[in-house]
Amino acid sequence: MIWSEHADLAMVRPHKQIIRVKPMRELEREANFRPFEGVARVFIVEDADFMNDQAANALLKTLEEPPPASHLILTTSNPTACWQLFVRVSDDSVCSD
């Protein structure tokens, strides 16, 4: 996770074209803290379609029930891939019931 000069803004970027579970767990943990300077914390996941299955699963709970003072922004150059990732993770969680 990369933090900006502003204490309430962080970004996750792919490393070698993959986003692994460790930065997603860090994002999930950090999203639960209150903002330091502003009214909300903002987390940007760049190229979210590069998340592996474990990273997507780690982020799913935070996406479903985001903390009230945190905002998550997922970006991708391929929106279809991001949608497919979200549907795949959602279907997995439904099937496990």
Side-chain angles (χ1 to χ4, degrees):
M1 184 174 304
I2 303 166
W3 289 95
S4 73
E5 291 181 19
H6 193 287
D8 295 326
L9 177 63
M11 177 182 280
V12 175
R13 302 177 83 184
H15 176 70
K16 297 184 180 179
Q17 295 191 338
I18 191 166
I19 298 176
R20 299 192 186 274
V21 70
K22 184 177 179 182
M24 291 298 102
R25 286 188 178 144
E26 184 181 352
L27 185 153
E28 182 181 18
R29 187 187 72 232
E30 291 290 335
N32 288 303
F33 292 124
R34 289 185 303 187
F36 291 108
E37 296 177 14
V39 295
R41 298 189 90 186
V42 177
F43 299 92
I44 301 169
V45 180
E46 187 177 284
D47 292 324
D49 53 314
F50 289 126
M51 282 189 283
N52 64 15
D53 289 343
Q54 293 83 9
N57 283 327
L59 186 61
L60 184 60
K61 182 176 184 253
T62 305
L63 287 173
E64 289 177 338
E65 300 173 17
S70 292
H71 302 286
L72 295 134
I73 301 170
L74 281 66
T75 68
T76 181
S77 57
N78 183 358
T80 305
C82 192
W83 176 250
Q84 289 171 349
L85 176 67
F86 179 73
V87 169
R88 185 176 71 234
V89 171
S90 297
D91 288 346
D92 288 349
S93 63
V94 170
C95 292
S96 66
D97 288 342

